[in-house]
Amino acid sequence: MDLIVNAIEAVYKLLWGDLFVLPLPGGGTLGVSLLVLLLIPTGLFFTFRTRFLPVRLFPEMLRVTAEKRTSREGSAISGVQALIVSTATRVGMGNLIGVVAAISAGGAGAVFWMWITALIGSSTAFIEATLAQLHKEKDPLYGGWRGGPAYYIHDFVKEKRGGKLGRRSVLAVLFAVSGLICWCGISQVIANSVTSAFQNAFHIQPIYTTVVLVALSAVIVLRKNATVRVLDVMVPIMAACYFIITLILIGMNITVLPDVFRRIFEEAFGLRQAAAGGFGAVVMNGVKRGLFSNEAGSGSAPCAAAAGDTSHPAKTGLLQALGVFIDTVVICSCTAFIILITPAEKVAGLELMDLLQASMEHHLGRFGVVFIALILWLFSFSTFVGILFYARSNVAYLFGDSWLSQTLYKVLALVMLFIGGLAAYTFVWDLGDVGVGLMTVFNIIVIIPMSGQSLCALRDYEGRMKRRKEE
């Protein structure tokens, strides 16, 4: 067991630890991890290649979202439903605990760098989601479509080998296995976070929360097509509730809002931290948490994007690019503002969920603590349901079209959910991070050389947009 834990920690340090450290004026340093080194330049490359798509085509993203939410086939899901599934997994603990951790370690300025990361990541999300649409295939088990990085990686390797490739590609297998490992690790983290929050808020013993959580999850994920129907209702409601509560709190504290924005921008550029050598922490905490939260480039969201039945591949890309905006700029900012409008003396010395719960208690009393516990439960529950939707295509790629393999993986995830609710294994957090880190590496290797296909689809779509406006 110790050998496994040590191996996981070693890979975690390789992926997320400082690959090298840059000295900064004032005596500070800027540590750069392997994943930051991969994702930020890749995002910038795609941002320039798409001609700043997140800004230029933002109105079109909203227009596509407002289109009629129906698929052309009865068993398939629409593009907007695919966005809802991916949003369910993006909008999770990273939007609560991750943002709090970023602010705790990097100050208010970390929020600004999360916004910048989202802007860059939107272009990456467009590229990988469009590729997933271009390389999707029929799903004989669930109906509709399936796909994702394992499938477009397979097609990429097959093309490079002149069409000579067997049932599986090694690189695609590595991605699929990394994904399944990641989602098992996340299952335990989800349960542990929920049981801890309920114990703090309601004094409910973890065993009771865990049993209810696992039972509800089993009812949904073990049914053939209940996942999308449940998320279709749950995700918009929970996101809207969190957003509305935040707007109410901002309205109640509108006089301090200018100071909040001033803090964010001052600390973002190290005007306070430079002298103390903390500018590197501001940037890296904002960037790392932003990348972890919006998942752009990791290859997770394309597993849902491929299932969407849309009239043009680029539409799915635009929807998933909007998903990054919803996750980081909207939901993560909600958490940040809840904390930053709270008087400093009320949260002095607090970290993570204690900091967030104390902020909510200051604003809304006991209701605030209860609300945060419930919203964490909803965020976490929807994440678990969403990641098992992701897992479908990866399990199918590895083991073929078998209900047995699909069911066994769901049962394994439910077991991990149960274990995580009763005991906190710190290395499990690393396991989830290692899984998503490896997925990102394998995904980035392929989407850069394949990006021309997505860009070609974008040019075609923009040509159609132009003709539509002329008509």
Side-chain angles (χ1 to χ4, degrees), residues 61 64 118 126 155 183 229 245 282 296 308 353 389 398:
M61 294 179 195
V64 172
F126 171 85
D155 291 347
W183 298 322
R229 291 196 297 271
I245 284 288
V282 175
M353 284 305 294
F389 186 93
L398 292 172

Side-chain angles (χ1 to χ4, degrees), residues 16 35-47 54 90 102 109-126 282-298 320-321 323-329 332-333:
W16 292 100
L35 287 176
V36 170
L37 193 63
L38 284 174
L39 287 166
I40 295 302
T42 299
L44 288 170
F45 174 70
F46 290 145
T47 300
R90 285 192 180 110
V111 177
F112 173 83
W113 293 106
M114 290 181 70
W115 293 339
I116 296 300
T117 303
L119 184 65
I120 296 170
S122 291
S123 299
T124 305
F126 171 85
V282 175
V283 177
M284 280 300 105
N285 275 285
V287 170
K288 286 180 181 179
R289 294 299 174 180
L291 293 174
F292 186 80
S293 177
N294 64 54
E295 299 181 356
S298 71
Q320 294 301 324
V324 172
F325 175 87
I326 293 171
D327 170 84
T328 306
V329 177
C332 285
S333 296

Side-chain angles (χ1 to χ4, degrees), residues 194-209 357 361 366 369-370 373:
V194 171
T195 55
S196 298
F198 269 58
Q199 190 170 23
N200 292 336
F202 309 111
H203 307 292
I204 299 174
Q205 291 301 309
I207 181 63
Y208 302 119
T209 307
Q357 287 182 322
E361 187 170 19
R366 179 65 183 170
V369 178
V370 172

